[in-house]
Amino acid sequence: MKLIHPQETVRIIQENEFHFQKRFGQNFLIDENILKKIIDCSHITNEDFVLEIGPGIGTLTESLCNAASFVSCVEIDSKLIPILQNTLKDYSNVEIIQHDFLKLNIREFINNRSSGRPVKVVANLPYYITTPIIMSLLESKVKLTSVTIMVQQEVAQRICALPGSKDYGSLSLFIQYYTSPKIIASVPPTCFIPRPAVSSSILYLDFLTNPPVDVKNPDKLFSIIRASFSQRRKTLANALSANLRIPKNDILTTLQGLSLQKEIRGEDLSLYEFAVISDRLPDF
Ligand code: SAM
């Protein structure tokens, strides 16, 4: 079955009297080139355990099953479960689970299933929960090899942004601490049924074996990053003293020690500079 063909997707939807749920961000992929790009860039081999979030009617899942050792897919919409059981019936290496991904214990879920195989996550994500899903994967501290996801174009740009750009922020820094992110392709609304209001991008997150910077206390670093961007127009010194109650003098001395201007803002600092600042500031 080639679910990626628009007429096949429409047939399945009509035969099953399925109604798209806007609240679940249901935009099903119908473009074969984009599907190929997702599969190619995720470099899945027959040794991999793949977690798919939000399989829909199983369009991506089919290709993942052909490439991987095993695929676990987690779908929130109970109406899609019988459809998936049918579209994926020829595959013995897939497990279909009805659950809200954000309510799973991700660590337990993956570790119970991966049996030591490399773990890759692939998903065409519902836009309304893109950031919580990425953050929950990172915060689960599960050893992942890569995450290949379809996200809103604007989110992909924020994730890949570098210091000094308007898109640069705490999301860029968190993700760049754990992964090397790359935009693989931009995807217009015409590649989906129904068409979303915005353009999308395929984003590939290559997980780093070691963080790109050495920092004594990563939690402290993340608190500093979050506080720095909580009010973008504030200087770093004002943002940190207001949000974390760090004495302003300590911040100014630290900046001076790094030859950074006292008016500098978070958006101008690299991950490396944030790490040094975190190590030099007193604990709070
Ligand atoms: N993978 C399919 C495709 O590419 O055609 C469907 C992608 S669609 C953008 C997002 C899918 O995620 C939908 O099937 C939706 O029901 C599901 N979904 C939404 N919220 C979810 C959640 N919290 N947990 C698991 N699945 C969710």
Side-chain angles (χ1 to χ4, degrees), residues 4 11 21 27 37 48 60 72 96 100 108 125 130-131 139 162 194 232 242-243 267:
I4 192 67
R11 184 185 70 75
Q21 299 277 339
N27 303 99
K37 281 189 180 159
D48 293 332
L60 257 171
S72 273
I96 302 158
D100 178 347
E108 202 179 282
L125 288 184
T130 301
T131 309
E139 282 161 4
L162 296 173
R232 276 189 93 92
N243 294 314
E267 63 202 43

Side-chain angles (χ1 to χ4, degrees), residues 24-29 52-56 59-60 74-77 80 99-101 124-126 128-129:
F24 291 146
Q26 291 174 338
N27 303 99
F28 295 168
L29 188 65
E52 189 194 2
I53 307 157
T59 309
L60 257 171
V74 180
E75 172 57 59
I76 196 169
D77 188 350
L80 287 168
H99 216 282
D100 178 347
F101 183 75
N124 172 9
L125 288 184
Y128 75 111
I129 46 167

Side-chain angles (χ1 to χ4, degrees), residues 120-155:
K120 293 178 181 165
V121 177
V122 181
N124 172 9
L125 288 184
Y127 296 147
Y128 75 111
I129 46 167
T130 301
T131 309
I133 286 184
I134 301 176
M135 293 310 284
S136 61
L137 284 168
L138 296 179
E139 282 161 4
S140 73
K141 302 271 179 346
V142 176
K143 194 170 174 296
L144 300 175
T145 305
S146 65
V147 171
T148 310
I149 38 176
M150 178 87 75
V151 297
Q152 210 173 318
Q153 193 167 55
E154 186 192 278
V155 175

Side-chain angles (χ1 to χ4, degrees), residues 181-197:
K182 192 171 171 204
I183 295 175
I184 303 295
S186 101
V187 184
T190 47
C191 296
F192 304 90
I193 293 181
R195 292 181 184 181

Side-chain angles (χ1 to χ4, degrees), residues 157-158 160-169 172 229 232 266-269:
Q157 283 162 352
R158 277 170 48 208
C160 297
L162 296 173
S165 97
K166 68 170 176 31
D167 294 327
Y168 186 63
S172 335
F229 288 96
R232 276 189 93 92
E267 63 202 43
D268 296 313
L269 292 169

